[in-house]
Amino acid sequence: MKKRILFSAALLVLMLQAALAQSQQLTVQAGSGKQTVLTRADLEALPHVKVTTMNSGTPSVFEGIALEAVLEKSGVQFGETLRGKRLASCLLVEATDGYRVVIALPEIDPAFSDKQIVLAFLKDGKPLDDKEGPYRIVIPDEKRMARWVRQVTTPKIVDVQ
């Protein structure tokens, strides 16, 4: 009986770990339709950035990855290749609850803008809670937080025709 209970408990732990790992994945879809699945480990291996923001008069420090680096890891190119028709491309960011926002690719490219857009996974040194995370878009210099997408699941490159 003890062995069965231990086996059941171990199986439950493995299933929970697998579910957590899956929920921590991010699927990036390039304009060609190619999808790249990034794990939390893939993202944490990229250079981290920290930004301090004010939220209702209270400062918060978000830590994560520059959105440009996440997209480049998925094969999206910036810099000199972002010209012509590609200037009309945008990033459609989707959340678990169906919320969606658009960010123009030139806004993400440091060659065009000093705007810093972060895919955050920590807030004030702690992982984002279930309401916000596991990933959140943070755009510190925006006056309204309408494009600060919580529970990001799928960033997609969309070519405007």
Side-chain angles (χ1 to χ4, degrees), residues 77-152:
Q77 296 180 344
F78 290 97
E80 291 299 316
T81 65
L82 188 54
R83 62 177 182 242
K85 290 182 180 180
R86 284 200 66 222
L87 289 173
S89 296
C90 59
L91 181 71
L92 176 66
V93 181
E94 297 180 345
T96 303
D97 64 0
Y99 190 71
R100 300 167 15 151
V101 301
V102 171
I103 302 169
L105 284 190
E107 289 183 89
I108 301 168
D109 189 340
F112 281 87
S113 174
D114 290 331
K115 182 179 283 199
Q116 189 166 31
I117 303 175
V118 176
L119 180 72
F121 48 80
L122 297 176
K123 180 179 179 182
D124 298 327
K126 298 175 186 160
L128 296 173
D129 63 24
D130 291 339
K131 184 179 174 186
E132 285 188 283
Y135 305 110
R136 179 175 192 158
I137 295 291
V138 176
I139 310 172
D141 63 345
E142 290 197 325
K143 292 180 181 180
R144 295 181 58 205
M145 295 170 51
R147 296 196 302 172
W148 288 37
V149 182
R150 299 174 295 147
Q151 300 175 334
V152 173

